[in-house]
Amino acid sequence: MKKVFVYFLFSVFFLSSPAFAAEDMEILKNELKKMSQTMEALQEKIETMEKENKEEKEDVQYLSDRVDKAELHTVTDRVSLGVEVRAEGHSLHYDNMQVAPSSLVQGFFTPYASGGFNGGTLSEIQTRIGGMVASGMVPPTEKYDADNDFLPTTKFHLNMKAKVNNNLTFNGRLAAYKVWGDSSGIKTNTGSLGDVTLDGNTSSVPHGDTITLERAYFLYSKNIDEIPVSFSLGRRPSTDGPPMEYGKNSLEAGSPLSTIINWQFDGASLNFGLEEALNISGAAFKFCYGLGFEGGWGNSYSLQNTSSYVDDVHMFGVIATIYDDDAFSAVFNYAHAWDITDGFTGLTLMPFIPYKNADGTYSFDQNVGGYISRMQPVTEIGDWDGASLLLRSNLDERVGKDIDVFMAISWSHTDPSQISQNPFYEIMGQGLLSSNGKLEAHDGYSIYAGVLFPMPLDAKLGLEYNWGSEYWFNFTGAEDSIAGSKLAARGSVVETYYIQPIISDNFFLKLGMKYFDYEYTGSGNPLGAPEKISELSSLNAIFPVVDKVWDLSASITMQF
């Protein structure tokens, strides 16, 4: 358009001028024509170059996009990551706690010749204690309340998944759980397994800012005669199992039922998908194995030719999914543990150190220096069995409301074999749920039920209740509960919580309340016979005994 306009101007100017002759006009016309042709050729060349440059840029962008996608695909083929961060604040209130008076506790540090227990033989100490009981000289417990108005914590999970091919996958989790302002990782022992940094609870209860390996296992899957079979080996997904997912606002996180096992351990599983073979929706059967304690590694008796050697603790179990169609499910879990030990290897700060001398006398030293101790079991105290049946249902199809309900009925059986040879427990004659040298088998029972209601703004309201009998015992020391495992309670626990999504399930607020009402001592502890708290003796309150606990909490969680 521009060259036409220029040609027009030149034509008008020169053709209208009388100074030009006809011959000159002809010459000028020819020159202008050549100039116009040259400009047209130049314009075509410019347009061609611009087109080629655009195509080159598109090719470069296309190749760049392909490389980016290939790199991303390669990375995600290797491992995909998921992050969960929870900031939570608790307000804890302990009512009617009981502990032995200092006059009785000091008896363990007073020489035997001066009326105490320190330096006496086993028979001498037990005879003196028996005389105190018979004569009514055991002083009553001291009672008090304790509060921690604000206890903030942070919990972190880094979940890892990788799919090697259609048959082989990897799953893992790194975790940390800390109380704000504390990263020591070691607690003063007050008589609870949660006070010891154990292999079974390192990342499930607060232990400082250390990143620990909570899970790491491979899963190999293959169809055998049209039956899906999978085999897994490694650090197990054995925490926060069903039905804990309701209160955590998450998917199922572990395979054992949390009513009997909520404990980090290493082991294996073999699963058979039986839905097609049995024509039962969701039917499956899984064999499980776990190693709870390794006696031949790192202990004073490891690799030694000694009679004090403590054997490994092996656990075997089965998990049967009887039926599961998403609207209703029934799952049964049974487990057996051989040769339970009187503790596990771990770290803690003991307030006093008991030990047995070569001459058969017993000594007790106060830990005035605050020295950290490496704990190790010294006795195999018996066998344990546990079983649980969990029923879950969504009532949407029945009542038109997205209401979830569940109920679990559980049983435990303890069969003691001998008294603990730990100096303190030996003096008290304690074994597997046994005291005063009486080794008796016991059955325990538990009921756990809950309901989850839909609320406005996509919120959820949960109500839960559980009860455990006098001799109820399970392995739930890794339960995500700052006040102690509620499902281990020998007594009643009521819990309510309100979950409000902010950005779907990726970012949500939770307000909660738990009320513990213990009836018997030693919840979650295998050593010693339970004693009714209302009739508690000071001899069973060397460590503080909890009666009632209020745990009020508020948390905000991000997960993706």
Side-chain angles (χ1 to χ4, degrees), residues 19-33:
F20 284 88
E23 184 178 352
D24 295 331
M25 290 291 291
E26 189 64 30
I27 294 173
L28 182 58
K29 287 181 181 180
N30 292 335
E31 291 298 328
L32 288 173
K33 186 176 182 181

Side-chain angles (χ1 to χ4, degrees), residues 77 142 292:
D77 272 352
E142 295 179 349

Side-chain angles (χ1 to χ4, degrees), residues 495-510:
E495 180 179 8
T496 182
Y497 47 85
Y498 192 90
I499 300 171
Q500 177 59 63
I502 301 174
I503 304 177
S504 186
D505 288 333
N506 300 116
F507 193 50
F508 59 89
L509 173 71
K510 178 181 176 182

Side-chain angles (χ1 to χ4, degrees), residues 385-400:
D385 294 274
S388 187
L389 175 65
L390 172 64
L391 305 176
R392 291 176 292 182
S393 181
N394 182 275
L395 304 182
D396 192 19
E397 294 183 359
R398 297 178 179 86
V399 300

Side-chain angles (χ1 to χ4, degrees), residues 168-442:
L168 185 61
T169 59
F170 161 80
N171 287 272
R173 174 185 286 176
L174 300 178
Y177 191 8
K178 75 180 300 292
V179 170
W180 290 14
D182 176 63
S183 290
S184 65
I186 305 296
K187 295 177 65 179
T188 299
N189 197 302
T190 60
S192 168
L193 284 179
D195 295 331
V196 186
T197 303
L198 302 169
D199 178 65
N201 66 14
T202 51
S203 60
S204 299
V205 297
H207 281 123
D209 59 0
T210 304
I211 302 293
T212 60
L213 181 66
E214 182 179 333
R215 301 174 181 181
Y217 61 95
F218 70 80
L219 183 68
Y220 178 74
S221 305
K222 189 174 182 179
N223 284 1
I224 299 179
D225 291 335
E226 298 183 354
I227 296 179
V229 179
S230 61
F231 172 71
S232 180
L233 194 67
R235 190 124 169 102
R236 309 307 303 151
S238 52
T239 57
D240 300 328
M244 283 290 179
E245 69 272 11
Y246 295 111
K248 297 181 71 65
N249 195 35
S250 65
L251 301 176
E252 285 188 18
S255 55
L257 296 185
S258 60
T259 46
I260 58 173
I261 297 176
N262 196 340
W263 189 265
Q264 299 164 201
F265 64 85
D266 308 287
S269 69
L270 179 64
N271 184 71
F272 297 88
L274 303 175
E275 183 171 12
E276 297 296 329
L278 301 178
N279 195 28
I280 299 176
S281 180
F285 195 84
K286 179 188 288 188
F287 295 98
C288 304
Y289 163 77
L291 181 64
F293 165 71
E294 171 55 52
W297 177 264
N299 301 301
S300 61
Y301 41 75
S302 298
L303 304 179
Q304 301 292 322
N305 183 17
T306 172
S307 59
S308 63
Y309 181 81
V310 179
D311 206 354
D312 303 344
V313 176
H314 300 278
M315 181 178 289
F316 172 80
V318 295
I319 303 174
T321 302
I322 303 170
Y323 185 85
D324 187 355
D325 65 356
D326 293 331
F328 174 81
S329 69
V331 180
F332 175 76
N333 191 178
Y334 167 78
H336 176 82
W338 290 267
D339 299 325
I340 291 177
T341 52
D342 54 352
F344 298 91
T345 52
L347 299 176
T348 191
L349 195 157
M350 292 295 297
F352 61 89
I353 310 295
Y355 54 93
K356 185 176 182 179
N357 301 305
D359 62 357
T361 59
Y362 291 73
S363 297
F364 301 86
D365 291 339
Q366 291 180 296
N367 190 3
V368 293
Y371 301 112
I372 296 171
S373 302
R374 183 187 188 276
M375 309 296 291
Q376 67 178 37
V378 295
T379 319
E380 300 159 17
I381 58 175
D383 296 345
W384 170 84
D385 294 274
S388 187
L389 175 65
L390 172 64
L391 305 176
R392 291 176 292 182
S393 181
N394 182 275
L395 304 182
D396 192 19
E397 294 183 359
R398 297 178 179 86
V399 300
K401 299 289 185 179
D402 187 20
I403 299 174
D404 290 297
V405 296
F406 69 85
M407 183 178 68
I409 301 174
S410 306
W411 161 83
S412 67
H413 178 78
T414 51
D415 187 10
S417 58
Q418 60 179 319
I419 299 299
S420 169
Q421 296 174 23
N422 177 290
F424 179 75
Y425 299 122
E426 187 177 20
I427 289 172
M428 307 304 290
Q430 294 185 348
L432 181 57
L433 298 193
S434 304
S435 293
N436 302 319
K438 299 178 181 179
L439 298 177
E440 299 175 342
H442 293 290

